[in-house]
Amino acid sequence: MNYDDIEILFAEDSIDDATLTMRALKKSGLSNAIYHVKDGAEALDFMYYRGAYASRNIQQHLKLIMLDLKMPKVSGMEVLEKIKSDPAFKTIPVVILTSSKEDPDIKRCYELGANSYIVKPVESDNFFQTIKELSFYWMISNQPPQ
């Protein structure tokens, strides 16, 4: 696997959570292209090459999408529903990375096709370890369809 081709889309509206997660992802050493967007509308623009992302390199392919649930404009749940209903994105792993421990949220995300649901750990050492394990699993161990 060529790590230069790895592309992660990370949708998170909290600057603190985004900074911590981006640091953990970069520290894992698995990705050269991590794209952080601040809301669900921007995530959809990124995926569909719209607006500010219209000239994004079409040769790079998403390998992993990480979504927060509670974002402005378009929620993570709405983004999940849209991408898992689109054949072009259906096989891309989607990890929900959120603070919500609500059972209805968890159930609905899996019904919509989420591949994993992770409640953000509060303690930073646990958080870094969780992100490292998550990135290793989805980027190295998981075998997606070709």
Side-chain angles (χ1 to χ4, degrees):
M1 171 179 274
N2 181 355
Y3 294 131
D4 292 338
D5 294 337
I6 293 174
E7 188 171 302
I8 296 173
L9 175 61
F10 173 46
E12 169 64 66
D13 63 321
S14 164
I15 297 301
D16 291 339
D17 288 351
T19 301
L20 194 58
T21 303
M22 297 286 285
R23 191 176 310 140
L25 284 168
K26 288 179 180 177
K27 204 171 183 182
S28 74
L30 292 177
S31 180
N32 292 325
I34 304 167
Y35 292 92
H36 170 239
V37 295
K38 296 171 186 71
D39 60 58
E42 191 178 356
L44 293 172
D45 284 350
F46 180 91
M47 295 180 67
Y48 288 99
Y49 301 90
R50 300 185 303 217
Y53 302 101
S55 62
R56 187 168 75 83
N57 183 354
I58 202 158
Q59 299 304 312
Q60 285 187 308
H61 300 287
L62 286 171
K63 305 292 185 192
L64 178 64
I65 300 167
M66 295 174 24
L67 294 174
D68 184 21
L69 285 186
K70 295 174 174 63
M71 294 186 292
K73 297 182 184 177
V74 178
S75 73
M77 193 88 65
E78 291 171 290
V79 173
L80 174 64
E81 185 170 17
K82 173 78 173 156
I83 61 180
K84 286 301 185 174
S85 66
D86 186 330
F89 303 116
K90 195 170 195 144
T91 61
I92 298 172
V94 177
V95 173
I96 304 300
L97 186 60
T98 187
S99 57
S100 174
K101 294 179 182 180
E102 299 296 318
D103 197 49
D105 286 344
I106 297 168
K107 183 177 180 184
R108 184 69 180 138
C109 284
Y110 280 116
E111 287 171 350
L112 292 172
N115 298 89
S116 185
Y117 191 104
I118 297 172
V119 177
K120 297 174 193 173
V122 177
E123 209 247 9
S124 74
D125 285 344
N126 287 342
F127 186 79
F128 271 88
Q129 188 61 33
T130 297
I131 296 300
K132 183 177 179 180
E133 289 171 7
L134 173 142
S135 61
F136 270 100
Y137 175 76
W138 288 111
M139 306 309 286
I140 301 295
S141 301
N142 184 57
Q143 183 61 50
Q146 298 299 325

